[in-house]
Amino acid sequence: MSQLIKVMLTDDHAVVRSGLCRLLEQNADIKVIAEAESGEQAYQTYPEHRPDVLVMDMSMPGMGGLEALRRILHRWSDARIIMFSMHENATYAIQSLTAGAMGYVAKSGNAEDLVKAVKEVASGKSFLSADMAQKVALQSLTGDDNPTQRLTSREFEVFRLLAEGKLVEEIAGRLNIGQKTVANYQTSLKQKLDIHSPVELVRLAMKYGVITEQ
């Protein structure tokens, strides 16, 4: 008999968590042992549950999934985390994997992708759906230099929040860092991305799918 895979779900929508729980537990070898509704809660309760796999939404109010991923891996380097995201572009997948996620699954993809991802990641392997793997490969092959890929996970989060129109004070609160630190990230982003105004920052974010046109 195969060993039971213990999963923790993190998503700010209860209906999504409920659906994922039903989907995963249709498999006799997967058991959802804990749920969290925010990145903060996932970070605080992770050591209590120590799941085999943590499935985490990328876009949540407060601490985003990428920041929670960074913090959890900083404290528990053996954590196996799958990012479950509404973002279908390669930029977010690359950022997630670079930050240490072992899998990236788009919410719009095949439902079975998440089941496969949980089983693969639980066994110590990485997982990208075929569609996402193709997008990541194409982005690296086209020679279209995406400057956002040069950003660290923390820089990327600050970049994303700035592009969404968040103020320095709000970003500092979300990421639990000082306003001066956010201002320093702003400066380094301008240099790394060669941008000189908020408008240029938003245009760049839209070009590479970090935000979508409202």
Side-chain angles (χ1 to χ4, degrees):
M1 182 170 170
S2 58
Q3 191 174 351
L4 193 67
I5 300 168
K6 294 176 293 182
V7 175
M8 179 175 178
L9 300 175
T10 304
D11 193 290
D12 56 317
H13 295 105
V15 67
V16 173
R17 296 197 305 274
S18 175
L20 293 179
C21 188
R22 282 198 303 273
L23 169 71
L24 293 173
E25 290 190 343
Q26 284 173 4
N27 296 266
D29 51 352
I30 298 176
K31 175 71 176 169
V32 175
I33 59 162
E35 296 182 19
E37 61 183 12
S38 66
E40 288 91 340
Q41 193 180 14
Y43 175 68
Q44 288 159 5
T45 60
Y46 180 84
E48 179 187 331
H49 303 293
R50 292 308 295 261
D52 298 312
V53 178
L54 168 59
V55 177
M56 186 152 55
D57 183 18
M58 195 153 188
S59 304
M60 295 178 283
M63 186 196 299
L66 203 57
E67 177 66 12
L69 164 77
R70 197 186 68 80
R71 291 194 196 185
I72 289 169
L73 286 172
H74 182 70
R75 283 194 64 182
W76 302 282
S77 59
D78 60 341
R80 293 175 175 177
I81 303 175
I82 296 167
M83 300 308 286
F84 187 56
S85 175
M86 65 178 183
H87 301 287
E88 294 179 54
N89 60 48
T91 300
Y92 277 92
I94 291 166
Q95 274 294 334
S96 296
L97 298 175
T98 303
M102 291 182 67
Y104 187 93
V105 177
K107 288 186 176 182
S108 58
N110 189 322
E112 276 302 303
D113 282 347
L114 187 61
V115 175
K116 283 184 204 164
V118 165
K119 291 181 177 181
E120 289 285 296
V121 169
S123 69
K125 299 172 187 168
S126 297
F127 180 87
L128 270 179
S129 67
D131 284 354
M132 190 55 69
Q134 187 177 30
K135 287 178 183 177
V136 169
L138 282 172
Q139 185 156 303
S140 57
L141 283 172
T142 53
D144 181 15
D145 180 34
N146 181 345
T148 66
Q149 288 178 24
R150 296 197 291 269
L151 304 178
T152 65
S153 60
R154 176 57 68 78
E155 286 172 338
F156 184 78
E157 279 291 85
V158 173
F159 172 64
R160 179 179 68 81
L161 292 168
L162 285 169
E164 288 177 358
K166 302 292 186 290
L167 300 175
V168 168
E169 307 88 82
E170 192 176 350
I171 296 171
R174 279 200 185 197
L175 302 182
N176 197 26
I177 56 179
Q179 292 184 26
K180 189 175 180 186
T181 304
V182 176
N184 289 340
Y185 277 121
Q186 274 185 304
T187 303
S188 67
L189 285 169
K190 285 176 183 174
Q191 293 169 346
K192 275 193 174 183
L193 302 175
D194 192 26
I195 50 178
H196 308 95
S197 72
V199 173
E200 285 185 20
L201 185 144
V202 170
R203 279 186 187 143
L204 191 72
M206 286 172 59
K207 179 179 179 181
Y208 292 104
V210 176
I211 60 170
T212 52
E213 193 167 2
Q214 299 301 311

